[in-house]
Amino acid sequence: MSSLQPLGQVGEEDAAQLQFGPEFKEIDILSNAQVAVVLQLSAQSAVNRDEELHEVYRKTQQYVDRVNNMTNPEKNSQELIKELDNLVDALTTFRKETDEGDELALHQSEVAALMNLVATDTAVDEAKALIPSLTRFPEAAIDEVLDLIRTTMIRIVS
């Protein structure tokens, strides 16, 4: 049986509406920076055990290192882990109330996407264009989140 749906038919999964399939219920979604730390630590562990890294592993690590914008070779992995964990905690506990009294929170996928997206010059409009589910937040709230990520990014890279 094929899991493909006919063209034009909307399924139950829609990232723009934060609707994900059941396989995404019990997982953590990681940013590129988090994946980079995990890969670096496991690569170091493999070296310590005299194991060779698989080619797919090395290519994945090269890709993540290339796109990761939150890195600093002068900081040890424990410092990076602490900074990233603090940022993830701050983003996952971020709350904004709407005019109707509803409380809005960032989804794990939005947290990871924002961490991957943010550079020091990322604007609210760019974030909303690349992460459509953010449009439910007021612009000031998105700007607050972007500032939080920028501040952490500056701490990490400096």
Side-chain angles (χ1 to χ4, degrees):
M1 177 185 277
S2 173
S3 64
L4 296 176
Q5 297 180 6
L7 190 60
Q9 187 175 2
V10 178
E12 63 184 59
E13 296 180 23
D14 183 354
Q17 299 298 317
L18 300 175
Q19 296 173 347
F20 300 95
E23 60 273 6
F24 287 93
K25 290 280 188 221
E26 301 295 323
I27 66 165
D28 291 325
I29 301 172
L30 302 177
S31 69
N32 291 332
Q34 292 169 298
V35 171
V37 169
V38 169
L39 291 175
Q40 288 167 0
L41 291 174
S42 61
Q44 185 60 47
S45 178
V47 167
N48 293 343
R49 292 187 313 267
D50 250 1
E51 295 175 357
E52 188 174 323
L53 297 174
H54 191 276
E55 180 66 19
V56 173
Y57 184 98
R58 286 195 305 271
K59 286 184 178 191
T60 302
Q61 190 170 23
Q62 288 171 353
Y63 170 79
V64 171
D65 287 344
R66 190 174 67 242
V67 298
N68 178 17
N69 57 5
M70 292 193 196
T71 187
N72 184 341
E74 295 178 11
K75 292 197 177 188
N76 67 43
S77 51
Q78 291 304 318
E79 290 175 291
L80 289 174
I81 291 169
K82 183 179 176 185
E83 288 283 359
L84 293 172
D85 285 349
N86 288 341
L87 177 58
V88 170
D89 288 345
L91 293 174
T92 55
T93 59
F94 179 83
R95 301 285 184 268
K96 279 297 169 191
E97 194 171 304
T98 65
D99 293 338
E100 295 79 31
D102 296 328
E103 187 175 79
L104 297 175
L106 291 169
H107 186 274
Q108 273 192 37
S109 66
E110 292 170 317
V111 169
L114 282 162
M115 289 175 65
N116 292 344
L117 165 72
V118 170
T120 54
D121 62 348
T122 302
V124 170
D125 289 340
E126 180 181 11
K128 288 187 339 186
L130 295 171
I131 309 168
S133 58
L134 292 178
T135 58
R136 70 189 195 286
F137 284 93
E139 288 197 6
I142 299 169
D143 198 39
E144 188 178 334
V145 167
L146 294 174
D147 282 342
L148 179 62
I149 297 170
R150 276 187 213 104
T151 301
T152 302
M153 184 177 165
I154 291 167
R155 263 197 322 270
I156 287 173
V157 300
S158 60

